[in-house]
Amino acid sequence: MTEMNIDDYLAQGGKLTSPANVPPRYRGELMRLMASFVDSELAGAAGFADTINDAPGIRNRIAAARITQQKLEHAGKVLAVMGEFGADMARYDRRHDWAARMDRDADLAPARHGDDMRLSVFHYPIQGYGDAVVMNVLMGLATIVQLDELKASSYTPLAEVFRDIAPREARHVELGLNGLREILTTDEGRAEAARSVEYWRPRVEASFGKAASKRYETLSRFGLRHHPNEELRETWAQRVRDLLMPMGLA
């Protein structure tokens, strides 16, 4: 089958199921998409791991540890799909310093920085438990929106992994909201949460990428994406408003 024939097949909603029937251009976009997810999960887990001991009480520490563990597991599940395309799984997660962060006030464009593929938001450092909780809620909501998009990916093995991961990422948001409600019970906690929302909100928003993205056009043509960046960003923004306004944080 020629690449043009596969383009027509994908344009009609066709699915691919094996590296053997994936054309080179499709493979390149698929690997980039997977690497971005894996690197972001590994960097996210490294950031949250540093805050586990800052969490108040055993229950909150268990929740923070569970989120960290499951982000590593999610990275491993997608990395296994990359391994079917020849990625060296044994070396991959040791290739970069996932805990490395840039300055808190760095002005990072919504693009890749450094030599890994993490989203730009994961280059910013987390400052303590309350900051981690707010970041987890805002980025967790973004991850759910992005997984809803990727669950319909034309590469079936990856779509199945994302459908498996999505409920656990949703649970991470619930755990974050529980922690946030506890933080908001004091004036000091409410002020800290408000500062963190102001800090993280634009940085998470930037993780959706540019409007009218040319790369989205390619991903859409291959059936790997179905909704443009600006539409996903607005879905996320509305969910943030719906959750945070009743808390007095939006």
Side-chain angles (χ1 to χ4, degrees):
M1 182 179 287
T2 66
E3 184 170 341
M4 180 61 75
N5 287 336
I6 287 184
D7 280 354
D8 292 342
Y9 173 71
L10 293 171
Q12 295 172 17
K15 305 291 185 184
L16 301 180
T17 59
S18 164
N21 57 19
V22 166
R25 293 174 61 195
Y26 182 100
R27 179 187 186 282
E29 293 296 340
L30 182 64
M31 291 294 281
R32 176 172 171 154
L33 187 155
M34 290 192 288
S36 178
F37 181 85
V38 170
D39 293 7
S40 294
E41 289 288 284
L42 290 171
F48 287 121
D50 287 340
T51 68
I52 292 174
N53 286 330
D54 295 329
I58 293 176
R59 182 170 52 83
N60 287 319
R61 291 188 182 193
I62 291 173
R66 179 176 297 134
I67 290 171
T68 300
Q69 175 191 343
Q70 292 186 344
K71 287 191 174 300
L72 292 172
E73 291 174 353
H74 297 171
K77 287 175 180 288
V78 176
L79 185 56
V81 180
M82 293 179 68
E84 296 171 359
F85 286 86
D88 186 343
M89 296 173 59
R91 290 186 55 204
Y92 186 93
D93 61 358
R94 300 197 302 269
R95 194 174 301 168
H96 308 290
D97 180 2
W98 302 114
R101 294 295 189 270
M102 297 185 182
D103 188 83
R104 179 92 167 170
D105 297 322
D107 184 12
L108 301 178
R112 301 297 181 269
H113 302 272
D115 58 357
D116 61 59
M117 294 288 288
R118 75 180 78 175
L119 295 172
S120 60
V121 67
F122 292 108
H123 283 289
Y124 293 103
I126 295 171
Q127 293 184 336
Y129 175 69
D131 199 49
V133 168
V134 169
M135 196 277 187
N136 175 60
V137 169
L138 294 177
M139 193 62 217
L141 289 170
T143 301
I144 291 170
V145 171
Q146 291 159 352
L147 286 178
D148 284 345
E149 171 81 342
L150 296 173
K151 286 187 296 186
S153 161
S154 58
Y155 190 64
T156 300
L158 181 61
E160 290 174 348
V161 169
F162 285 139
R163 286 194 285 272
D164 178 55
I165 287 172
R168 302 210 303 183
E169 290 285 350
R171 179 58 179 157
H172 294 176
V173 174
E174 292 175 2
L175 291 171
L177 287 169
N178 291 341
L180 184 56
R181 292 187 184 98
E182 291 180 12
I183 291 169
L184 295 178
T185 57
T186 68
D187 290 342
E188 182 181 3
R190 179 171 291 279
E192 179 190 7
R195 287 193 297 271
S196 290
V197 169
E198 183 178 4
Y199 178 82
W200 286 111
R201 196 170 189 165
R203 290 163 177 80
V204 174
E205 181 177 11
S207 71
F208 287 94
K210 299 177 181 177
S213 164
K214 291 189 177 301
R215 182 163 178 253
Y216 167 74
E217 294 176 7
T218 302
L219 294 172
S220 178
R221 182 160 52 85
F222 287 157
L224 292 168
R225 291 273 308 274
H226 302 281
H227 300 87
N229 295 342
E230 51 271 38
E231 186 174 327
L232 299 184
R233 179 165 38 246
E234 180 50 39
T235 298
W236 167 81
Q238 185 59 54
R239 292 181 185 180
V240 170
R241 288 193 291 270
D242 289 346
L243 278 171
L244 297 191
M245 284 186 70
M247 297 181 179
L249 292 174

